[in-house]
Amino acid sequence: MKLDTSILALILALAPLACQKVAPAPLPKPAPAASALVGDTKAAPRLLQAQSVGVVQEFADDPAIMAVLAPRQAEIKATFDLPLCACPKGLFRGRNGEENLLGYWVTDTMRARAARLAGKPVKFAMTNSGGLRANLPPGQLKVSDIYGVMPFENELVTIEMTGQDVMDAIKQGILHRGSEPSSGVKVVLSGTVDKPDLLITWEDGTAIKPDEVVTAATTDYLYNGGDAIPALKNGRRPFTTGVAMRQMLLDACGDLAKAGKPLEAPPLGRYNILPELYAAAREHKLGK
């Protein structure tokens, strides 16, 4: 299923603005006559006072604007209600220290799509958990569910990373937010809060060589330095694919529906982090 998400996003962005009801600012009081201020240094100083004006619901919708928006709103609602694929158990972000299965699916999808576009294997992918704004509910997924997960216009980017950059990105993600969803690696964080032991391997258990160079996938937001994962910015030969992350997820669901398959959660065990270490990382106390 192909959806023109750029048009939908534009309409969504414009609609709230057009519908917003704001009380008009009070008319300014007439300024004193120039002769009262210019050349009269003995005039009493004027006191200026700010006034707070709240957003209220006092004004009716503008018929002309509503006439323009109404058909678009109906079109958007119809599009958002379109069915995608089944997701029997839902996919959740694991905000309480559980593994981020939604993030695993998103990054697995990033790797697969990037590999198709680049025409070569993509060994690693990372996004940020803060960019996944909702869970996928159990049941039949709709277009609106994917918009809930990914409301942003971020694009898929491929870069070349060294093995050291990959390990640094994983570590920075743990120190920043407990962990960030990734694909292609296995991570074990053990030890104690004072002396944590971080082991990162490729997903098949082989060691990551610091000087090896691999193709990786991320978002333009993270590559440009967003969300405190600077190792991703070290990536070389960046290629912005032009594929929006949201469209990528819509396409993945469409492919599953065509194949008659449901969206299932990826296997557990990608990130194995002791709960006390996860909590310490979230509080920025790990290793201090």
Side-chain angles (χ1 to χ4, degrees), residues 168-169 171-177 180 221-222 225-232:
D168 288 345
K171 182 178 179 180
Q172 289 161 4
I174 290 174
L175 293 175
H176 178 52
R177 195 178 273 126
E180 296 288 16
Y221 171 70
L222 293 179
D227 227 352
I229 312 176
L232 293 175

Side-chain angles (χ1 to χ4, degrees), residues 3-17:
L3 297 170
D4 191 341
T5 57
S6 61
I7 294 177
L8 289 175
L10 177 61
I11 294 170
L12 284 173
L14 291 175
L17 294 176

Side-chain angles (χ1 to χ4, degrees), residues 218-236:
T218 187
T219 69
D220 56 342
Y221 171 70
L222 293 179
Y223 175 69
N224 288 317
D227 227 352
I229 312 176
L232 293 175
K233 195 173 176 58
N234 294 338
R236 293 173 297 175

